[in-house]
Amino acid sequence: MATTAKPARPKGLAVLRIALQSRKSATMLAFGFASGLPYALLIGTLNAWLGEVGVKLATIGVLSWIGLSYSFKFLWSPLVDRLPLPGLERLGRRKSWIFLCQAVLVLAFAGLALTDPAHAIGTFALFAFLAALASATQDVAVDAWRIDVADEQAPVELLSAIYQFGYRIASIVGGALALVLAARMSWASVYLVMGGLLLLVAFITLRAPDTPRPESATLHRELAEPGALTPAARGIALAVVGISWAWAIGTIVVFMISMLAPADPAAPLPSVGDFTRAYGPWIIAATVGVPLLTAAVTNWMKAHARSVLTAPETAVSGLRTAANHLYVALVSPLAELSARLGWGVLVVIGMILTYTLCYNIWSSFAFPFYLDFLKYSKDEVAFASKVFGIFMTMLGISLGGFLFARLGRMPTILIGAVLPILGNFAYADLAEGAPHIDALGAAIGLKTLFGLFGFDERMIRLLLAISFENVSTGIAGAAFVAYLSGIVSRNYTAVQYALLSSLTFLIGSLGRGIAGEAFDTYGYATVFRWTAAAGLVAVLFVLLEWARVRRELSARPEEP
């Protein structure tokens, strides 16, 4: 019997052509743009503005903690999923949240434009945090919208490709175009222009299709079946994990306030390094260790029939539904993972926490490094980092897929862990005048090749460093996404992936504070080498995971 082949996934400009053929796909393009633009402006471009007006790198590092909003967004995703917004619900269950977030983003960008970060960094940070929170929440609603509206004419795979296309366009607009505009107008004007673009998307949101809100029912029926933990036991586990997360987030926010808006401006600012050394391990313990331990305890209770249901649970309420959402988001993913992997879960979590550490820890300082330390122009950085660099990242992603198919999962993951370490050494060399980059570029002919396009020696150094870094991180990113996709359970795909992917950036985001202080104290080259050394921890965990996987495969019975 003949089978119908699945249509090939569109690529490149074919995605744009298809996106403009229907209202639903065109809306997805706009939503992808609306998701990518705030991230580019808040996590990267904002630091170029701060560096230009003389804000210290230590302060920039602390302000970059607003990026944790994207890591923690799964915590309030149940609220976005279940709560009708008064006055806006008539727009649609997803559209109402998306429109609200876009309105907040427009107001927050206007607030940034009206605030001078050199003299009111606390107020500036408040607007930036508000924008990051709205952006992360918009991502939750947009992801849900994409799944909800998918149908045969617009399958979720096509909508996902269109979303990524819109997101990449936004990365160029919020990165390269923003820098080009900033060379010709004030930064405040740039952010007003970007807010205007989001306002246009908000009008598109009002015309977007949506799906009706389902009637309230028992969420995740497996929680109500015999053998599942009782609601009281789940409530205790949820409270323990929730209090741990709340303490960690509260500790970070309180320190950010003390650093960016001190009660006594005349007093010396607290040390980011001291805070990270004193509280960093406890924050990791609260957000990773406590949930893992709680998951292990719930698994033990179910295995020994302690505090479990003996009959189906039939009670339904809004509070119970919300609690079930939070339990499935915070406890169930790690409980399933630890039950399936046993002690091996410690290796998996260790690898997830450290894999991107080598380059995530300094990524927020890229623009200050290029613009303020190396003295490249905004136009040069816009082209090198956000146009040329994006193509190099896409090349790296393609190479990662090729290596995954030819070499296998773990060898590609190991390559992805090693190459960014070498990339950090390349940046250390760039900070010291690029003698090794010059020699390597001349030896392999790249210096001559770039010269044919009219680039001078100084620009060639930047392009070569960015080439290696972006190709390396592209390979690492492709390998790691494939790894995470393979490690998650089919029963918990969405929530488990959301939780594990959020942990990927936790240590790197926390480390940006101490990295900023270290850049101020020791200089770029030294810190680049330190972060390269930190990447060796990821290599160790990859080797341990490789050994665990081999041991697991050898223990399986041979299949016919």
Side-chain angles (χ1 to χ4, degrees):
M1 180 178 178
T3 58
T4 304
K6 293 182 67 175
R9 180 170 175 167
K11 297 180 180 179
L13 292 178
V15 178
L16 179 61
R17 187 180 65 253
I18 294 173
L20 298 178
Q21 291 177 354
S22 74
R23 174 184 167 198
K24 191 175 292 183
S25 56
T27 301
M28 187 76 268
L29 182 68
F31 283 173
F33 181 85
S35 290
L37 188 62
Y39 188 87
L41 291 170
L42 295 169
I43 304 305
T45 307
L46 192 71
N47 297 331
W49 182 359
L50 296 174
E52 184 176 294
V53 298
V55 175
K56 291 183 178 180
L57 292 176
T59 304
I60 293 176
V62 172
L63 186 56
S64 72
W65 285 350
I66 63 171
L68 289 170
S69 299
Y70 297 93
S71 297
F72 295 162
K73 63 186 179 183
F74 69 93
L75 292 173
W76 57 87
S77 60
L79 189 70
V80 178
D81 186 54
R82 303 296 302 181
L83 180 65
L85 289 173
L88 293 177
E89 175 69 8
R90 60 187 178 85
L91 294 178
R93 59 187 299 226
R94 307 301 185 193
K95 283 169 54 180
S96 57
W97 279 97
I98 295 171
F99 181 80
L100 174 65
C101 292
Q102 289 169 352
V104 172
L105 281 165
V106 171
L107 293 176
F109 283 154
L112 290 173
L114 296 174
T115 307
D116 182 0
H119 299 97
I121 188 64
T123 304
F124 191 86
L126 181 62
F127 283 121
F129 174 73
L130 184 64
L133 194 63
S135 175
T137 306
Q138 178 187 231
D139 289 351
V140 173
V142 167
D143 288 341
W145 183 89
R146 181 173 67 247
I147 295 171
D148 287 345
V149 303
D151 53 26
E152 290 185 359
Q153 286 71 38
V156 70
E157 293 82 6
L158 174 63
L159 292 179
S160 296
I162 294 171
Y163 173 87
Q164 289 297 327
F165 191 85
Y167 199 98
R168 288 172 182 167
I169 293 174
S171 297
I172 296 175
V173 171
L177 180 60
L179 286 175
V180 170
L181 291 176
R184 293 156 178 82
M185 62 176 68
S186 68
W187 277 108
S189 300
V190 171
Y191 274 74
L192 285 176
V193 170
M194 297 299 160
L197 293 177
L198 283 175
L199 184 61
L200 292 176
V201 177
F203 286 109
I204 296 175
T205 301
L206 293 175
R207 298 287 300 161
D210 209 337
T211 55
R213 185 178 298 278
E215 295 182 5
S216 297
T218 303
L219 177 70
H220 299 289
R221 297 189 181 278
E222 62 268 21
L223 297 180
E225 295 176 353
L229 289 180
T230 63
R234 294 201 305 270
I236 293 173
L238 182 59
V240 171
V241 175
I243 290 171
S244 297
W245 273 96
W247 174 86
I249 295 173
T251 301
I252 293 171
V253 169
V254 168
F255 180 78
M256 287 182 66
I257 293 172
S258 69
M259 183 76 179
L260 301 173
D264 182 7
L269 293 176
S271 168
V272 185
D274 290 345
F275 171 82
T276 306
R277 284 186 288 270
Y279 289 96
W282 292 107
I283 291 172
I284 300 300
T287 54
V288 180
V290 170
L292 265 179
L293 182 59
T294 303
V297 171
T298 59
N299 286 339
W300 181 89
M301 292 173 68
K302 290 174 67 175
H304 293 79
R306 303 289 180 87
S307 298
V308 296
L309 295 172
T310 56
E313 174 70 29
T314 58
V316 178
S317 68
L319 181 61
R320 176 70 56 82
T321 300
N324 285 350
H325 264 292
L326 288 172
Y327 186 84
V328 170
L330 297 179
V331 181
S332 291
L334 288 180
E336 189 283 331
L337 197 67
S338 60
R340 175 160 46 95
L341 301 181
W343 288 103
V345 72
L346 298 178
V347 175
V348 171
I349 295 298
M351 178 177 156
I352 289 171
L353 287 172
T354 60
Y355 192 77
T356 63
L357 176 64
C358 175
Y359 49 93
N360 269 339
I361 201 170
W362 70 265
S363 58
S364 292
F365 305 96
F367 282 157
F369 175 60
Y370 301 144
L371 296 168
D372 305 320
F373 182 78
L374 297 178
K375 305 299 182 184
Y376 285 97
S377 71
K378 292 185 179 73
D379 287 354
E380 289 173 330
V381 173
F383 172 78
S385 179
K386 292 300 181 181
V387 179
F388 177 79
I390 285 178
F391 283 107
M392 290 299 101
T393 300
M394 294 171 65
L395 174 61
I397 292 172
S398 300
L399 285 175
F402 173 78
L403 292 173
F404 213 87
R406 295 299 299 269
L407 302 180
R409 179 173 65 165
M410 295 312 301
T412 306
I413 291 171
L414 181 60
I415 292 172
V418 171
L419 288 181
I421 296 176
L422 303 179
N424 276 25
F425 282 117
Y427 272 87
D429 185 59
L430 185 63
E432 294 178 330
H436 297 95
I437 291 176
D438 286 347
L440 180 62
I444 62 178
L446 286 178
K447 192 172 181 180
T448 302
L449 177 63
F450 282 127
L452 294 176
F453 291 93
F455 297 117
D456 60 20
E457 184 176 53
R458 189 167 169 273
M459 189 64 175
I460 290 173
R461 293 170 179 170
L462 181 62
L463 292 175
L464 288 175
I466 286 178
S467 295
F468 188 85
E469 171 71 10
N470 287 22
V471 169
S472 299
T473 55
I475 292 173
F480 201 59
V481 167
Y483 170 77
L484 283 182
S485 301
I487 202 69
V488 298
S489 165
R490 291 180 181 271
N491 295 327
Y492 292 91
T493 302
V495 291
Q496 206 169 67
Y497 187 91
L499 176 60
L500 295 180
S501 61
S502 71
L503 296 180
T504 305
F505 302 98
L506 181 60
I507 295 182
S509 297
L510 287 174
R512 288 172 189 165
I514 194 171
E517 190 173 86
F519 281 134
D520 278 331
T521 306
Y522 302 104
Y524 280 99
T526 300
V527 179
F528 281 136
R529 293 189 178 96
W530 286 356
T531 54
L536 294 174
V537 179
V539 173
L540 174 61
F541 273 112
V542 170
L543 294 175
L544 291 174
E545 172 63 0
W546 196 343
R548 186 196 69 80
V549 170
R550 291 186 62 180
R551 200 163 51 245
E552 182 182 87
L553 291 175
S554 64
R556 292 179 184 175
E558 291 188 7
E559 296 182 2

